[in-house]
Amino acid sequence: MATLREVAELASVSVATASRVLNGSTHHHPVSTEIQAAVRAAATTLGYMPSAAARALKQQRSRIIGVIASDILDPYFAELTRGIEVEAARAGYSTVIANANRDPQQERTKFRVLREHRAQGIVFCGSDIEGASGTAQLAREVNAAVHQGTRVVALAPRGFSSTSIVVDNATAAVRLTEYLLSLGHRDIVCIGGIPGLSAAEQRVAGYRSAMFQAGAVPRVVAFSGMTKDSGKAAMAELTRSARLPDAIICTNDEVAIGALAHLWTNGYRVPEDISVAGIGGTRASAVFGLTTVTLPLTELGTAAARFITDPAAQPAVPATPAAVLRPGLTTRAGSAEKAVPEPHR
Amino acid sequence: MATLREVAELASVSVATASRVLNGSTHHHPVSTEIQAAVRAAATTLGYMPSAAARALKQQRSRIIGVIASDILDPYFAELTRGIEVEAARAGYSTVIANANRDPQQERTKFRVLREHRAQGIVFCGSDIEGASGTAQLAREVNAAVHQGTRVVALAPRGFSSTSIVVDNATAAVRLTEYLLSLGHRDIVCIGGIPGLSAAEQRVAGYRSAMFQAGAVPRVVAFSGMTKDSGKAAMAELTRSARLPDAIICTNDEVAIGALAHLWTNGYRVPEDISVAGIGGTRASAVFGLTTVTLPLTELGTAAARFITDPAAQPAVPATPAAVLRPGLTTRAGSAEKAVPEPHR
DNA sequence: TTGTACGCGTTATCAC
DNA sequence: GTGATAACGCGTACAA
């Protein structure tokens, strides 16, 4: 690939001039029109493309935002990622997305690579798994990086000392459970998600506390995953048992959609036979008319990106946008059929 | 961030020695055990992290694979991306994923950024939109890059001269249509997708030709998008019309799932009232038991990544894996209820 | 076994 | 307005 030097030679000017024309501040450092034309022509014929590596080396910064997504196949993270990406592009930054497959070891690797590339900031999408092999080491490494000045943002509960922009998962689950109780449901079962996953645990805890509060008996099943597949499997298990519960609360929308898939493809009617609800508010949930708590995914991503790109926002941590209960078609219609804003923090 | 020089100074050795220790070329260039320990200790205390920029500049290669995804929210591309990423990581490469939002202008921008970073190869996930503003320019730029030696792989039909690993969309649609006809359906409607999108057009063309072949009348509706939302909207439109068709063929799984969402949430029974089929074979399609043509997404991604990471595969273009018809629960059970392998190319 | 010195492509600081 | 030239951090011939 052609270098600046070659362009300069072809245009019979110095590299400095070529640099000024092609990458630089012609405004602060005027170059005559003819020479500008000559340089541009040379660049075109040579197919010149500036080297990001050389520029980063010289300027000591990268204009790169690193994103470590727990599972890029989960629309929850895909939407977060998209929010980050849009805002980053607006500010002239490139986004590097790395998929960690919910594996702390992979998170560590990706984190290291991103740091080697001198990413200006690194965003973690997805919470940690307590006790998983590598979680503690990752936390140590992140803490060290933060201490060194790297900007790290967590968009989910994390056991390290980064900036965090996190919704209140427990409260979201409480509101959702209260809503289902208000519809007259008592036998409400919760499908659990991944054991140890902080966000899931918080949601389950919220469900439990709301059930206790109402004098109802909580029942949590199927700590098996956060995907449609695991939701479907959990629902299949439940339908095999003697009596169907009144309602199902799932730790996220994907699990809920998986549960719906099982019910629909097996002749059950929702919500007549059973109510189903999720947490997240992904686009998919809207398509299925799922009752859920919408978390402001795009806004979370935007806030994270802005925190990294905006040098002025140095100490200020962006406020967490509110989660909102969105009643849908998958729960029996009730009297409390209105959106309940949930401010917090 | 600490540099190699600082590490060397702290360990009282030369930068050359420090480099040898920290980059593991110790095998070809032995360093005494004590000095190794000293260097490593210094690196740890200083929190040394090698600069990818400096290394790339020196070594003239990046170990980066760039991926330009048409729509990261579409699981089709997410699965492709994941396939690329896994194989890339296996070979010690980092994957940079860029989302183009189906916009040729954004594709151009991302492509340029990836080239500036001297990505060793760039993979396009998603086909082009004929006639869209920017498509022609993008093609010109890609052709120039290819001509210059950049490895570009397209995983969907594209109007430029890159390597391409593409499934035969037309044949996939033909097989699917023939299958529905074999079930006794005659009034089969096709939901079209995005106008001008090559992959969608090819699939629609396959549907049309199979219908003509059987003496049936093709009807294509709703060229509005490739998302669940657009599938749902198209289905809503169809259910408003006088008579429901026998079956629906959708250009991709997302649209089909959107159609199913409308049917299920409005009391229709599938496949009793109407059959629905998609193309793609994403995980989501399996969860819903959708009849579809499975395209080997992971394999496509793997092949693309391997083509880029493996220098030996210089001229050889990987063979395209086969697409397979997968009858599901969303089409009336018939006599031809077996998977039909579809070899091609 | 260890050290010296050069260059990768770019930008910034000078001088002219 | 334009041109030399010195870094930026690293890897690697080559020398010792």
Side-chain angles (χ1 to χ4, degrees):
Chain A
M1 181 142 317
T3 73
L4 195 59
R5 178 195 210 99
E6 294 168 331
V7 174
E9 280 175 7
L10 181 56
S12 308
V13 297
S14 70
V15 283
T17 303
S19 173
R20 291 195 264 257
V21 173
L22 295 175
N23 310 310
S25 39
T26 318
H27 192 66
H28 295 275
H29 235 291
V31 176
S32 77
T33 323
E34 308 106 44
I35 289 194
Q36 285 202 29
V39 170
R40 283 188 214 288
T44 306
T45 55
L46 261 46
Y48 170 74
M49 184 76 42
S51 158
R55 180 177 290 167
L57 186 58
K58 181 63 190 171
Q59 302 194 145
Q60 303 282 65
R61 59 170 190 164
S62 63
R63 297 188 87 72
I64 278 182
I65 294 184
V67 178
I68 299 179
S70 286
D71 179 6
I72 197 67
L73 287 183
D74 186 334
Y76 185 88
F77 302 112
E79 289 191 29
L80 280 180
T81 296
R82 201 161 157 285
I84 297 169
E85 212 263 347
V86 168
E87 177 64 20
R90 232 179 45 76
Y93 282 69
S94 300
T95 310
V96 175
I97 302 167
N99 186 19
N101 298 309
R102 298 233 185 246
D103 175 1
Q105 301 290 3
Q106 288 192 49
E107 288 189 309
R108 287 180 58 205
T109 308
K110 313 292 186 181
F111 186 65
R112 194 169 50 68
V113 170
L114 257 15
R115 295 232 305 149
E116 288 185 355
H117 281 278
R118 300 293 185 270
Q120 186 154 336
I122 298 174
V123 184
F124 280 89
C125 296
S127 72
D128 49 13
I129 301 181
E130 292 160 34
S133 144
T135 298
Q137 280 204 330
L138 174 66
R140 233 172 299 134
E141 290 168 9
V142 171
N143 287 340
V146 168
H147 194 258
Q148 269 190 12
T150 309
R151 281 206 190 183
V152 179
V153 181
L155 293 183
R158 280 283 180 174
F160 44 66
S161 63
S162 67
T163 298
S164 54
I165 312 179
V166 185
V167 295
D168 186 341
N169 287 299
T171 305
V174 167
R175 294 277 180 278
L176 183 58
T177 309
E178 287 174 348
Y179 174 68
L180 289 183
L181 287 164
S182 80
L183 297 182
H185 297 312
R186 296 294 290 177
D187 185 9
I188 305 173
V189 168
C190 176
I191 299 183
I194 297 176
L197 190 79
S198 303
E201 300 276 13
Q202 292 177 354
R203 291 172 188 174
V204 171
Y207 154 80
R208 281 211 164 91
S209 102
M211 290 291 276
F212 278 126
Q213 196 71 31
V217 183
R219 180 154 66 108
V220 183
V221 301
F223 277 111
S224 54
M226 302 290 279
T227 64
K228 285 195 267 281
D229 285 289
S230 53
K232 187 184 182 185
M235 198 66 236
E237 187 64 38
L238 277 171
T239 54
R240 268 194 292 278
S241 67
R243 193 173 52 82
L244 221 54
D246 300 338
I248 301 283
I249 284 186
C250 304
T251 41
N252 73 357
D253 287 346
E254 286 293 283
V255 170
I257 290 170
L260 286 175
H262 178 81
L263 291 168
W264 280 332
T265 55
N266 284 274
Y268 293 92
R269 290 160 309 156
V270 179
E272 290 82 0
D273 297 333
I274 186 171
S275 288
V276 176
I279 294 178
T282 56
R283 288 185 188 195
S285 75
V287 169
F288 292 112
L290 180 70
T291 293
T292 188
V293 179
T294 66
L295 308 180
L297 304 180
T298 305
E299 288 78 358
L300 286 172
T302 302
R306 207 175 335 243
F307 177 71
I308 289 170
T309 59
D310 183 9
Q314 191 61 264
V317 175
T320 307
V324 176
L325 175 68
R326 190 185 65 205
L329 309 170
T330 60
T331 43
R332 191 195 298 174
S335 53
E337 196 77 355
K338 60 181 192 297
V340 180
E342 176 233 334
H344 66 278
R345 271 196 159 217
Chain B
M1 182 141 319
T3 74
L4 194 59
R5 178 196 211 99
E6 294 167 331
V7 174
E9 279 176 7
L10 181 57
S12 309
V13 297
S14 70
V15 283
T17 304
S19 173
R20 292 194 263 258
V21 173
L22 295 175
N23 293 295
S25 67
T26 321
H27 193 65
H28 295 273
H29 236 289
V31 176
S32 77
T33 323
E34 308 106 45
I35 288 195
Q36 284 202 30
V39 170
R40 282 188 215 289
T44 306
T45 54
L46 261 46
Y48 171 74
M49 184 76 42
S51 157
R55 180 179 288 165
L57 189 58
K58 178 65 191 172
Q59 303 192 147
Q60 301 284 63
R61 60 171 189 163
S62 63
R63 296 187 87 72
I64 277 182
I65 294 183
V67 178
I68 299 180
S70 285
D71 179 6
I72 198 65
L73 286 182
D74 186 333
Y76 185 88
F77 302 112
E79 290 191 28
L80 280 180
T81 296
R82 202 161 157 285
I84 297 169
E85 211 263 347
V86 168
E87 178 63 20
R90 231 180 45 77
Y93 282 70
S94 300
T95 310
V96 176
I97 303 166
N99 185 20
N101 298 308
R102 297 235 186 244
D103 176 2
Q105 301 290 3
Q106 288 192 49
E107 288 189 309
R108 287 180 59 204
T109 307
K110 313 291 186 179
F111 186 64
R112 193 169 52 69
V113 171
L114 256 15
R115 296 232 307 149
E116 289 185 355
H117 281 278
R118 298 297 185 270
Q120 186 155 335
I122 298 175
V123 185
F124 280 90
C125 296
S127 72
D128 49 13
I129 302 181
E130 291 159 37
S133 144
T135 299
Q137 280 204 330
L138 174 67
R140 233 173 297 134
E141 289 167 9
V142 171
N143 287 340
V146 169
H147 194 257
Q148 268 189 12
T150 308
R151 281 206 190 182
V152 179
V153 181
L155 292 184
R158 280 284 180 173
F160 44 67
S161 62
S162 67
T163 299
S164 55
I165 312 179
V166 185
V167 295
D168 186 340
N169 287 299
T171 305
V174 167
R175 294 277 180 278
L176 183 59
T177 309
E178 287 173 348
Y179 174 68
L180 289 183
L181 287 164
S182 81
L183 296 181
H185 296 313
R186 297 293 292 177
D187 184 10
I188 305 174
V189 169
C190 177
I191 300 183
I194 297 175
L197 190 79
S198 304
E201 301 276 13
Q202 293 176 354
R203 290 172 189 175
V204 170
Y207 154 80
R208 280 212 165 89
S209 103
M211 290 292 276
F212 278 126
Q213 196 69 33
V217 182
R219 180 153 67 106
V220 183
V221 302
F223 276 111
S224 54
M226 303 291 279
T227 64
K228 286 196 268 279
D229 285 289
S230 53
K232 187 184 183 185
M235 197 67 235
E237 186 65 37
L238 278 170
T239 54
R240 267 194 292 277
S241 67
R243 191 173 53 83
L244 222 52
D246 299 337
I248 301 283
I249 284 186
C250 304
T251 41
N252 73 355
D253 288 347
E254 286 293 284
V255 170
I257 291 171
L260 286 176
H262 178 80
L263 292 168
W264 280 332
T265 55
N266 284 274
Y268 292 92
R269 290 159 310 156
V270 179
E272 291 82 358
D273 297 333
I274 187 170
S275 288
V276 176
I279 293 179
T282 56
R283 289 186 187 194
S285 76
V287 169
F288 292 111
L290 180 70
T291 293
T292 188
V293 180
T294 66
L295 309 179
L297 304 180
T298 305
E299 288 79 358
L300 286 171
T302 303
R306 210 181 325 252
F307 176 72
I308 289 169
T309 59
D310 184 8
Q314 190 62 264
V317 174
T320 307
V324 177
L325 175 67
R326 191 185 65 205
L329 310 171
T330 60
T331 44
R332 191 195 298 175
S335 52
E337 195 78 354
K338 60 180 192 297
V340 181
E342 176 233 334
H344 66 277
R345 271 201 160 208

